[in-house]
Amino acid sequence: MADKNTKKAKRLERRKYSTRKGLFGSPERPRLSVFRSSKHIYAQLIDDFAGRTIASVGTVNEGVLPDGAKHGANVAAAKAVGKAIAQRAKAAGITQVAFDRSGRKYHGRVKALADAAREGGLKF
């Protein structure tokens, strides 16, 4: 069983590096990186030139989850994180980003976060 999970993790890392090859966050167009765990989802705006995070949001942050949400591992929580990262990006003066899905498929929670960020005014 451990061998299966190790191989699965290596495949994810390979996909992650493959997608990251063409992405690079600049001060004008930072990288919107999405991390999805089994219990939460996180989004960061990263300036790769300076090597710093401009803004970050996760379902563990206070007030991000919608009222009545039991956990941060669903589409509703991902939408809330997408809206919150769009608001923080606007506050930092950012309108365009490069979307980094971190090797995950573009569906489900990752797609919900991206759609909510677009609705919030981010372009990618």
Side-chain angles (χ1 to χ4, degrees):
M1 188 67 169
D3 189 44
K4 176 183 172 184
N5 291 334
T6 305
K7 288 180 180 179
K8 191 175 179 182
K10 284 185 179 182
R11 284 195 311 266
L12 175 64
E13 285 295 317
R14 195 167 52 236
R15 283 193 309 270
K16 187 183 205 177
Y17 293 139
S18 176
T19 58
R20 277 288 316 278
K21 253 190 309 192
L23 292 173
F24 196 79
S26 65
E28 302 83 33
R29 188 173 184 215
R31 180 166 49 97
L32 174 59
S33 178
V34 176
F35 176 72
R36 184 191 66 131
S37 74
S38 60
K39 293 183 181 181
H40 298 284
I41 191 162
Y42 307 87
Q44 286 185 335
L45 290 173
I46 302 167
D47 176 8
D48 288 319
F49 277 124
R52 68 181 186 96
T53 300
I54 298 167
S56 66
V57 175
T59 52
V60 294
N61 293 98
E62 194 74 27
V64 173
L65 280 178
D67 292 334
K70 294 181 181 177
H71 53 82
N74 54 21
V75 172
K79 287 179 183 177
V81 171
K83 287 179 185 175
I85 197 70
Q87 289 173 352
R88 292 191 185 185
K90 289 256 179 168
I94 296 166
T95 57
Q96 289 190 334
V97 296
F99 189 66
D100 177 14
R101 55 188 171 83
S102 299
R104 302 289 186 178
K105 286 185 178 179
Y106 185 78
H107 75 103
R109 290 188 276 161
V110 175
K111 184 178 181 204
L113 189 146
D115 291 342
R118 281 190 184 106
E119 288 172 11
L122 289 181
K123 294 179 184 176
F124 51 95

